[in-house]
Amino acid sequence: MTERSLAESFRRLIASDGPISVAQFMGESNACYYASRDPFGTAGDFVTAPEISQMFGELIGLWLADIWIRAGSPARSIYVELGPGRGTLARDALRAMKRAGLEPEPHLVEGSPELRRLQGEAVPGAQFHADLSTVPEGRPILLVANEFLDALAVRQLVMTEQGWRERMVALDAEERFVFGAGAQPMDAAVPEGRRGAEVGTILETSPGAAAVVSEAARRLAAQGGAALFIDYGHSQPRIGSTLQAVRAHKKVDPFAAPGEADLTAHVDFPSLSEVAQARGARWLGTVPQGTWLRALGIDARTEALAAAAPHHREALNAGRDRLVEPAEMGELFKVMGLAAPNWPDGAGF
Ligand code: SAH
């Protein structure tokens, strides 16, 4: 679908049926956005950690191999990645795992046909899934999701003079998209402690992220295994909208070109760790990406690679700095670890 047609179809829909929810706007915009393009890298819209440095995927692979070995090296384990992008992380992680004696069958959960094609090239023999439901049962799972949860549609509630309402996308007199409030009372959806908030207060939840983490946790408890969810987000509960749009490496108005910009929201790690534990998984911790990568030895790894390829030293250091420095990705990005109840602790938590 082209830019004009998605914006146009939203306009027609709102004009005929009334405002649509923020969740519907975000969900349909991102489905359209990812379906038809490779958005990664300097020529695209944004750069992710595995595209910055091979060390990111390698250290994730080593983390998985380490916990798998300490769990007794269970046979027939599978590698599952959610939203693998170009397949770079999977390729780097699988290579590192292989050196550690672990060769899990790769299963990739991806919605976009264009990205499936790239992932198939990066990971020969990968099996594809539209969601977790078709991933094999009964085998231990080593699961990774980097910048996946932030792309799932959030639902927003807004406090109005009349009480809590769903936050909607409406049209103004000039047919521009504007935020509005739904007609139906939503107070029952708001935790009691928050009900008396000031008018204008926004609460954001991600039913999609909760569903994914819930299913992953159920699988870990039933099948054994461990999971890493890496994303930008907060480690304390918060209020307010974090919806943002990125296009060509710049923040843009989420309404400017639906389907042509990447819409994301911060991941609410505290509520996801509760969801996971309620489903029987063990929460290993949620720590800043920089802290985690340093604990796993990214500095020594940078040094080893630089010693082997001195002309790459500067680029290797620069990549490491982008991943770990607090002013770059080191602090805003968090790593949440989960495991089966009878699996050991994870390194770096
Ligand atoms: N993990 C990759 C890509 C992150 S971008 C990296 O770090 O580079 C988000 C990824 O999730 C893309 O691969 C996108 O196509 C996929 N995705 C987004 N929403 C999805 C959904 N609802 N179902 C399946 N895949 C989805």
Side-chain angles (χ1 to χ4, degrees), residues 5 26 43 78 81 100 107 112-113 153 179 183 186 197 201 231 254 297 326 334 346 348:
S5 67
M26 182 174 176
I78 56 175
E81 189 176 333
H107 290 263
S112 155
F179 286 110
M186 296 296 289
T201 304
D231 231 305
K334 311 285 190 295

Side-chain angles (χ1 to χ4, degrees), residues 225-294:
L228 293 170
F229 287 92
I230 305 158
D231 231 305
Y232 52 129
H234 34 278
S235 40
Q236 298 300 320
R238 65 186 301 289
I239 53 169
S241 170
T242 67
L243 180 68
Q244 64 169 38
V246 169
R247 189 176 187 185
H249 307 276
K250 289 199 179 66
K251 279 192 191 179
V252 296
D253 176 355
F255 290 158
E260 295 292 309
D262 181 40
L263 296 186
T264 64
H266 283 205
V267 171
D268 179 2
F269 283 107
S271 55
L272 294 179
S273 63
E274 279 173 29
V275 165
Q277 292 172 94
R279 290 290 255 169
R282 208 149 75 81
W283 175 57
L284 304 176
T286 303
V287 298
Q289 174 173 299
T291 310
W292 190 76
L293 290 172
R294 284 217 141 106

Side-chain angles (χ1 to χ4, degrees), residues 34 40 46 48 50-51 81-86 89 109-112 115 119 130 146-148 151-152:
Y34 283 108
F40 309 103
F46 56 94
T48 56
E51 305 298 332
E81 189 176 333
L82 310 179
R86 282 179 171 168
L89 193 168
V109 175
E110 175 58 63
S112 155
L115 292 177
Q119 292 157 14
N146 185 58
E147 287 207 50
F148 174 74
L152 303 181

Side-chain angles (χ1 to χ4, degrees), residues 199-218:
V199 169
T201 304
I202 294 169
L203 279 186
E204 195 174 76
T205 57
S206 180
V212 166
V213 170
S214 170
E215 174 62 4
R218 186 189 71 77

Side-chain angles (χ1 to χ4, degrees), residues 70-140:
R70 288 185 295 110
S73 307
R76 299 179 69 239
S77 297
I78 56 175
Y79 174 80
V80 178
E81 189 176 333
L82 310 179
R86 282 179 171 168
T88 309
L89 193 168
R91 191 195 59 209
D92 294 340
L94 288 163
R95 187 181 60 243
M97 285 187 264
K98 190 172 178 180
R99 284 199 298 261
L102 167 59
E103 293 188 66
E105 194 176 85
H107 290 263
L108 307 181
V109 175
E110 175 58 63
S112 155
E114 171 60 11
L115 292 177
R116 279 189 181 191
R117 194 182 61 72
L118 291 173
Q119 292 157 14
E121 285 171 12
V123 186
Q127 297 176 49
F128 289 100
H129 303 270
D131 54 46
L132 274 172
S133 66
T134 52
V135 166
E137 305 268 356
R139 301 166 65 176

